[in-house]
Structure formats: structure tokens, C-alpha cells
Amino acid sequence: MFGMFSSKTAYLTAAIALMALVLSCVSTGAPKLSESGVRRIVDGETTKSEVTNLLGKPEQILTLDKESLEHYIARVATRNQAAVSVPEGRYEVWTYSRWNHIASLVLFPSYETATLCLLIINSDGICLKKLYVEESQMEF
């Protein structure tokens, strides 16, 4: 009986090791960040607490004035220049990001997805503008 249990354990261990070599998946960043969650955020209406319920706590919060905010958005929104026009005041920029990588050693390419969401929140705690970008890349 002990010999049979040992061979089953060895077989199971070998099968698990083989699966680990064939496919691996890594995810980092904000676990709740998704396109559907971001779509539920309405510019000019959604509050900070509603955002936190949808996406969790931000990874980074920047406090900026109007000029600094415009410079920051111009730097980070390089692909699609975001039109951000805000009155003088103080703003928070909440940053969420998520990175997924799926790698397969046999037959299938590696696949990577990077997601970034920036939310501009005014001093009243309302999200004025959301910027959401998801990029995918496939490698062989």
C-alpha cells in the first residue's frame, strides 16, 4: 500500500511540475481595476468614496494645482492628448495600474496586458475626469 501511494504522489508531483513549466501567469497592481469598473465612474458626478468602492484604494495620490495638473497630464497622456480644462484650485490625481503576463513555453506565445487609470478629483471630492488606457502585447 505504501509503495502504491508513493508512486501516485510522484506522478502527481511530476504532473504539477510539468504544468508549471508549460504555463505561468503573473498579475500585479490594483486587483479591482477593470474597464467595466472604470466605465461606472461618471465624470463630474462620481465621488471619492464611490471610486474607492469600485476600484479600491489608489496606488498613488498626487495633490496638484491647476498648472501642475496640466503639465502632469501633458506628460503622462502622450498617446491621446487628454483635454483637461480645470479652474484654478487644488486637485488630487489618483493612479491605478495593473499588469498581467501569461507565459507559455510550448506552442503558444506570451501575452502581456498593461492597464493604467488616472482620476482627477476636485476639492469637493468629485471625479472630474478619468483617463483609462489598456495596452496588450503578444510575443512569440
Side-chain angles (χ1 to χ4, degrees):
M1 173 102 177
F2 182 71
M4 186 175 11
F5 179 74
S6 179
S7 65
K8 285 183 181 179
T9 303
Y11 176 74
L12 183 58
T13 302
I16 291 171
L18 181 59
M19 285 190 302
L21 288 175
V22 173
L23 180 68
S24 65
C25 179
V26 175
S27 294
T28 61
K32 289 180 152 184
L33 180 59
S34 68
E35 184 176 2
S36 63
V38 172
R39 267 192 259 129
R40 294 176 63 192
I41 299 170
V42 178
D43 290 351
E45 293 181 18
T46 306
T47 66
K48 287 168 54 168
S49 63
E50 291 169 329
V51 169
T52 303
N53 288 337
L54 288 169
L55 303 179
K57 291 183 179 181
E59 295 172 302
Q60 180 181 34
I61 298 175
L62 300 173
T63 303
L64 304 171
D65 62 15
K66 174 186 170 56
E67 184 179 349
S68 298
L69 174 64
E70 290 170 349
H71 287 292
Y72 179 76
I73 296 302
R75 267 195 353 255
V76 298
T78 55
R79 178 185 279 186
N80 298 327
Q81 187 64 31
V84 177
S85 177
V86 295
E88 290 295 328
R90 306 277 309 157
Y91 298 90
E92 289 182 358
V93 177
W94 287 17
T95 304
Y96 296 87
S97 63
R98 184 160 177 78
W99 179 78
N100 297 310
H101 184 83
I102 299 172
S104 173
L105 298 178
V106 182
L107 300 178
F108 300 104
S110 295
Y111 184 76
E112 182 174 289
T113 303
T115 307
L116 174 67
C117 178
L118 298 177
L119 303 174
I120 300 169
I121 299 175
N122 68 13
S123 58
D124 294 328
I126 303 295
C127 178
L128 295 180
K129 180 82 174 165
K130 63 184 174 200
L131 306 171
Y132 179 82
V133 177
E134 186 173 300
E135 294 185 1
S136 297
Q137 181 176 352
M138 194 177 289
E139 298 175 1
F140 288 90

